[in-house]
Structure formats: structure tokens, C-alpha cells
Amino acid sequence: MCLAIPALVTGLLPDGMARISLDGVVKTISVALVEDVRPGDYVIVHVGHALARIDPDEAERTLALLAEAGALGAAVAAAEARP
Amino acid sequence: MKYVDEYRDGALARSLSAAIAAEARPDRTYAFMEFCGGHTHAISRYGIEDLLPANVRMIHGPGCPVCVLPIGRIDDAIRLAMRPEVTLCTYGDLMRVPASRNGSLLKAKAAGADIRMVYSSLDAVRIAEANPDRQVVFFAIGFETTTPPTAIALKAAEAKGLANFTIFCNHVLTPVAMRAILETPAAAGEPPIAVEGFVGPAHVSTIIGTEPYRIFAQHYGKPVVIAGFEPLDVMQAILMLIRQVNEGRSEVENQYIRAVTTPGNLAAQRLTEDIFELRDAFEWRGLGIMPKSALKLRDAYASFDAEVRFAVETQPAADNPACECGAILRGWKKPADCRLFGTTCTPETPMGACMVSSEGACAAHWTYGRFRAHEKTSTAPVRRAS
Ligand code: SF4
């Protein structure tokens, strides 16, 4: 039940609710816990509530770090494969 | 799916695996605990253990709220649901958890109790609103992630003036359980578990931030790397932990910076603080009774407290003696060490809570790991279903 997923906010509704799209599936969730949610934001959804907004810049940075560590690993693997 | 697929890239996972193998020193072993069931699930589902070198071991922690809920509280919920005036609303995962006397919420429902599965805490409020002649009880469980949604439901019920909505509160606290794992000595005859660092919770941390883990790094000398729930997140966190150990550092690092900020979600923290207070003590399955490890409603909200309205008095109840959930939740044993695993106990006929929730170690191992050829630290044979 702890599995939470990133979802795109597609529209705001009254009473702190919002419409989200999960890979095309539309759901209504509460966004009352996250300040200033706007359509176009990605939020982490857990049991019908948004818990946090995903920061697109930090997401890019994580991917860059992953690519860097991966490139290092790939280089090591290639070096080990060489006779 | 954006923010999901890119963190599941198989080629990158293999490169990260090579990077981990290159940085893990061959002359020593590493043992890290992933606290959260969400990580346990990801590790099993994506076969991450197979991508780690043999000297890096992952210990599955107790971070599954369904798994740590003691039987006595399930019994309470069943007793509440059996009251003719009560409609009990519960998250679906709890329906099949074994209770005392071979019971479960599912069986209580079959026997006529009015039990409804809800996706969101707000669904329970809607049911209360639509059924003013029923006493609607929301069976609230979960760590810091699920507590603010319960608080939102209470506020919504209050705003609507609902007098027939109450909460059966079972919310528990992550840092207390992490401390218990470090402080509890192994049982007689069990090998001590030497957790050298933690993969820190993803979504719990979106709420509580990074500060509550500082004690583990500073006081206990255990590095903590907060990680997202996707496989590459977990692998990167393991690499970061290995680096900390190799460099003799113990710090709180945040791999999941795309969702976790240092202070966490302050609005959610304020709301939780307003409505809940610490219980003196609460029983956790596998970890025993721990002081100040759980939350209850403050007196100001007693009118929303199911324990007050229905005078709930939890009776201690023993687990199935053959079930090893307790030892598994502490990291002492692996699912395959349980003699019921895969024979008597399967997700269809769970004997213990660890087999019920998809984040439970036994369920994850059954679904994704049971046919894996090697078991790194367990010598017990992997049993297959007969
Ligand atoms: S396999 Fe079943 S009985 Fe054994 S520890 Fe896991 S949940 Fe308990």
C-alpha cells in the first residue's frame, strides 16, 4: 500500500482536489497537502493524495548523475573484458 | 510513464551494476538495510540482488505497515466491524491479514460484517456522508506517508459536521523503528545483524524530510541514503552507501532529490502535529512494544476517535508460532528460512502478514524471487510450491 506513483496534474477542482492522468487513466485526488499545485506539475500520489511535487530540474540532475555512474561502470566493464 | 521509465533503464542498470562491483572492495562485505517495503518490492521485482556483487548484501527491513500491525489490532478492527451499527472502511491490503482464531476482515465480511475497501481516506468520508444512519469507522494504518491523508479526512469530516465518522488510528513512526533495529540485540542463538547503513524511505521522507535521520549518521555512525522507489534509484543509493563506507563517512544523503526536500512537507507536518500526538507505547509485530512509536488522536479530536467512541481495548494476541515474520522483519531470517514459506503459506493462503502485502518480504520473495538459483546468505533450500 506504500507504492506511490508520479502523476501529471491535468486540472484543478474545488476543495483542494485535482484531476490527474496516470498514463492516460484519469483520476481525482486530493492536492491539499502540496502548496500551489498547478496543471502541468507532476506529483507523487499515495492513497489518493498528492504528497510532494516532483522537481523537474532535480530529476534531470539525478539522471545526469546516473548516466555518469553508469558510464564509469561501462568503462570498467569494458576494461575488464579486454584480454 | 514520465519519471518512471527513465529510472528503469536496463542497460543503465547493468552499467551501474559494474560501477558498484568496481567500487565494492573485494576484501570486505557490505550489509545494508532497505527499511521500506517499497524498496523491498523493487529489489525483488527487478532482481537487484542479482545485479550486486556477492559481498554486498541487502537486509529487508520492517517498513511495511501491514506487516508490522500486531494481530490484536486486526482483532479490534474485526470486533468493530461486527457491531451492527458500524461500517468499517479499510485499505484493501488489510483484508487478508490473518487475525486470531483463524479470522480475517475478509472472513468477517463474508460472515456479514459491513466492511468496505477504500482507495483513499476521503472515500471513507464520502461513505459516512452518504450513510448518516451508519457509524463509519476508518481503519487508518501506515507510516508518516499515510498519516497526513488520514488528517485530511478528519478535517473534511469536521468541515462537513459529520457526527458518524471516526478513525481507528494505527499510524506508526519510521525513525523509532529504525532505532529499535539498531538497539535490539539479536535473540539467543541468532546471529547479530550488522546493518552498516540504510537505504532511507522514499515517500516517508517526502513528508518528514532528511533531518530525522541525522541521529543514525551521527550517533550510530550508520550512513543513510534516502532513495526513490525505482530500480536505478535503489542501485544509485547502494553505490552512494558503498562510497560512504569506503571513505569512512556516515552522512545523510538524498538520492531522491526530485521529490524529497531537506525540511520535507511542512504543511503535512503541521496538520499531523495539530491532530495527532504520541502514544506512550505501541506494539509492533516482530519488534515488540516500543515507547513513543505510534500516534493517536489528540483529546481535542476525541469525538473522531473510534477507540474512544467504541471503548476499544486491545487484547494481546499471539502470532502463529510457526510464522517467522517477526524474525524476518528484524532482518534475522529470510523468507525461505520459514518452513511454511511456499507450502502452507502463499499469497492465496497467507499465514502471516509478511505474505499479505505486496511490500512484505515473504510476498515479494514469493512473487519475484523464489526461483532464483542462489540465496546469498541463507543456506536453507528455496522451497517451491508443491
Ligand atoms: S512465509 Fe508465511 S508463515 Fe512464513 S514468515 Fe512469511 S508470512 Fe510468516
Side-chain angles (χ1 to χ4, degrees), chain A residues 1-2 33 46 49 51 55 70, chain B residues 15 93 121 146 258 265 359:
Chain A
M1 62 167 285
C2 282
L33 292 168
H46 174 64
H49 298 255
L51 297 183
D55 181 327
Chain B
S15 304
D93 303 42
S121 55
T146 320
R258 63 186 183 278
N265 184 334
E359 292 110 77

Side-chain angles (χ1 to χ4, degrees), chain B residues 323-325 328 338 340-341 345 351-352 354-355 362:
Chain B
C323 171
E324 301 274 15
C325 274
I328 291 169
C338 172
L340 304 186
F341 178 80
C345 184
M351 304 300 290
C354 304
M355 190 57 98
C362 295

Side-chain angles (χ1 to χ4, degrees), chain B residues 203-373:
Chain B
H203 298 132
V204 163
S205 308
T206 64
I207 303 295
I208 69 176
T210 63
E211 194 57 33
Y213 305 107
R214 190 194 290 264
I215 175 173
F216 303 108
Q218 291 187 344
H219 178 72
Y220 293 95
K222 308 290 181 193
V224 178
V225 178
I226 294 159
F229 276 153
E230 298 303 333
L232 294 187
D233 291 323
V234 179
M235 292 187 71
Q236 190 179 29
I238 293 169
L239 182 61
M240 290 164 81
L241 283 169
I242 290 173
R243 284 182 181 159
Q244 286 207 38
V245 170
N246 286 353
E247 291 163 16
R249 289 184 290 126
S250 71
E251 295 165 12
V252 179
E253 291 182 312
N254 181 6
Q255 183 278 337
Y256 198 36
I257 44 172
R258 63 186 183 278
V260 172
T261 59
T262 305
N265 184 334
L266 294 173
Q269 288 170 25
R270 273 193 299 270
L271 190 62
T272 302
E273 177 66 30
D274 170 36
I275 292 175
F276 300 96
E277 63 183 355
L278 285 173
R279 283 181 197 269
D280 292 338
F282 193 73
E283 186 189 348
W284 293 50
R285 184 193 296 247
L287 300 174
I289 294 174
M290 293 197 283
K292 308 216 181 311
S293 63
L295 300 175
K296 63 175 182 183
L297 295 181
R298 286 186 185 279
D299 286 346
Y301 295 99
S303 60
F304 291 100
D305 191 342
E307 287 181 70
V308 173
R309 184 168 303 177
F310 302 102
V312 172
E313 272 184 47
T314 308
Q315 304 298 322
D319 286 314
N320 179 333
C323 171
E324 301 274 15
C325 274
I328 291 169
L329 287 166
R330 287 183 175 213
W332 294 341
K333 292 202 171 164
K334 300 199 134 206
D337 297 333
C338 172
R339 61 187 180 80
L340 304 186
F341 178 80
T343 52
T344 319
C345 184
T346 66
E348 287 74 46
T349 55
M351 304 300 290
C354 304
M355 190 57 98
V356 176
S357 152
S358 62
E359 292 110 77
C362 295
H365 188 59
W366 166 266
T367 311
Y368 302 112
R370 74 199 146 112
F371 298 129
R372 202 168 29 236

